[in-house]
Amino acid sequence: MAIILVTGSNGQLGNELKEAAKNYYGYQFIFTDIDTLDITDKAQTEKFISNADPGWIINCAAFNLVDKAEKDQEKAMQINSVAVKNISDAISGKPCRLIHISSDYVFDGNANVPYNEGSVANPLNIYGKSKLEGEKAALLHFGSMVIRTSWLYSSFGVNFVKTILSKGKENKSLRVVFDQVGSPTYAADLANAIITVISGVVRNKLAFYAGLYHYSNEGVCSWYDLAKEAVQEAGIDCDIIPILSQDYHTETRRPSYSVLDKTKIKETYYLEIPHWRSSLGKCIKQINL
Ligand SMILES: NC(=O)c1ccc[n+]([C@@H]2O[C@H](COP(=O)([O-])OP(=O)(O)OC[C@H]3O[C@@H](n4cnc5c(N)ncnc54)[C@H](OP(=O)(O)O)[C@@H]3O)[C@@H](O)[C@H]2O)c1
């Protein structure tokens, strides 16, 4: 039976993997988070992986607070990069496959067509830099798949969609930037895509192709569009007002365009990806309003 170790599993993606796992039989999932497996602890990581002997590791652990990362570079680098190297080292030479999650923030946003896996990364902020270093650390292992995703949200955890819904209930209007464009990703869709990849390899004997991949929902929007659709879908009476990034108080630079081209993952693993609007509707039904 394939053993799948999930790190950082109390977060958005980890929780969605727990949900998705309920529909997949014949796998042994080991769900961990910092209290059971702190991936920044090299010795603990090696020991845990050696004892569990997984065939697959899905690394969902991360430091995702983009603004905080500017002030706490050391922590961002430790969790998003050094810890990934700890995992790579622990499985070096072993047949274990690592699925590591990265971010659209490795790009600078200067493009005007979707970024593919060959596009040059040039992060604008510490979070993006730490994620780019993490990708390199993951790819040191020959059996690693790095999936860059963008604008992740879920009914679990803290995210833009949930924040807009709760603030939307308390305010008559909200100002949201409309000059940053990307593609939202419902973590449940990403979780199902990851398990589809694994089961394609384990059950259907598809070849496993290591390397970089991009995954988000289909379609493109601004944060403004996403907020507007979220309140509308939830039936919340709140005006969403478009503003420029320069009028939103933050010193952290973010890419103004971070749409990911998903052709490679769709063609390699025969994935069908839902449009962001339909997935947003599904997620909102799961959120206690
Ligand atoms: N969120 C987004 O918008 C977004 C966008 C693009 C890419 N991504 C990437 O997608 C992946 C999944 O993100 P997510 O939103 O599901 O993350 P998340 O909700 O922040 O969950 C991350 C989990 O990792 C845990 N963790 C932190 N340090 C750890 C350590 N040293 N050892 C083990 N676990 C640790 C966290 O615990 P604590 O909560 O206690 O710290 C948390 O439970 C990440 O790689 C992220 O960078 C996210």
Side-chain angles (χ1 to χ4, degrees), residues 201-213:
V201 173
V202 173
R203 292 265 166 80
N204 304 329
K205 308 294 173 209
L206 291 182
F208 176 74
Y209 295 101
L212 263 179
Y213 291 86

Side-chain angles (χ1 to χ4, degrees):
M1 186 186 287
I3 300 174
I4 304 171
L5 170 64
V6 184
T7 58
S9 70
N10 291 344
Q12 299 191 78
L13 181 59
N15 269 299
E16 295 290 4
L17 280 164
K18 288 177 191 164
E19 291 299 307
K22 292 175 187 164
N23 300 319
Y24 286 83
Y25 302 98
Y27 299 95
Q28 184 193 338
F29 283 89
I30 305 172
F31 290 105
T32 64
D33 206 283
I34 192 160
D35 50 342
T36 39
L37 172 55
D38 176 354
I39 61 167
T40 62
D41 182 333
K42 190 170 176 64
Q44 191 196 12
T45 304
E46 270 171 13
K47 194 169 169 203
F48 195 103
I49 291 174
S50 167
N51 288 341
D53 196 20
W56 297 81
I57 297 174
I58 309 172
N59 181 29
C60 303
F63 183 88
N64 283 322
L65 304 170
V66 177
D67 292 321
K68 268 200 180 154
E70 297 297 308
K71 293 180 194 84
D72 204 345
Q73 304 192 13
E74 174 63 22
K75 192 170 179 187
M77 282 294 175
Q78 278 297 319
I79 299 172
N80 292 342
S81 169
V82 178
V84 185
K85 172 92 169 29
N86 291 343
I87 297 175
S88 280
D89 286 347
I91 56 176
S92 167
K94 294 185 179 170
C96 178
R97 272 110 183 212
L98 169 63
I99 298 183
H100 172 70
I101 315 301
S102 189
S103 165
D104 56 328
Y105 277 27
V106 299
F107 294 117
D108 59 19
N110 290 335
N112 53 20
V113 291
Y115 287 103
N116 64 35
E117 292 78 358
S119 304
V120 177
N122 181 32
L124 297 177
N125 55 42
I126 297 298
Y127 169 74
K129 284 183 185 151
S130 69
K131 293 301 288 182
L132 183 59
E133 290 308 307
E135 293 182 356
K136 292 178 194 161
L139 293 170
L140 288 173
H141 176 61
F142 70 93
S144 288
M145 177 177 186
V146 171
I147 305 177
R148 292 179 180 142
T149 191
S150 56
W151 300 22
L152 204 64
Y153 68 90
S154 159
S155 59
F156 299 103
V158 181
N159 54 63
F160 176 83
V161 170
K162 286 174 74 179
T163 303
I164 288 293
L165 295 183
S166 70
K167 286 195 172 170
K169 283 195 291 187
E170 291 158 13
N171 295 279
K172 277 200 160 54
S173 67
L174 292 174
R175 289 148 43 90
V176 182
V177 297
F178 78 105
D179 56 353
Q180 287 173 35
V181 171
S183 304
T185 307
Y186 183 21
D189 292 335
L190 177 57
N192 276 301
I194 291 170
I195 300 189
T196 303
V197 168
I198 296 177
S199 86
V201 173
V202 173
R203 292 265 166 80
N204 304 329
K205 308 294 173 209
L206 291 182
F208 176 74
Y209 295 101
L212 263 179
Y213 291 86
H214 289 174
Y215 185 98
S216 68
N217 279 120
E218 295 287 11
V220 174
C221 65
S222 67
W223 291 112
Y224 160 81
D225 298 311
L226 180 57
K228 183 116 184 135
E229 182 79 9
V231 292
Q232 202 169 311
E233 188 70 33
I236 294 170
D237 185 17
C238 174
D239 235 4
I240 305 295
I241 298 163
I243 59 162
L244 290 166
S245 301
Q246 66 193 36
D247 298 327
Y248 179 76
H249 178 70
T250 171
E251 277 160 27
T252 317
R253 291 177 71 206
R254 288 170 165 79
S256 56
Y257 179 92
S258 65
V259 180
L260 302 173
D261 181 336
K262 302 165 286 285
T263 308
K264 183 179 171 190
I265 201 164
K266 287 194 286 188
E267 290 185 351
T268 309
Y269 291 106
Y270 309 103
L271 297 182
E272 277 182 33
I273 304 183
H275 191 273
W276 70 265
R277 282 184 205 276
S278 58
S279 290
L280 179 67
K282 278 188 195 158
C283 178
I284 286 175
K285 286 195 181 73
Q286 301 293 320
I287 297 173
N288 274 338
L289 293 167

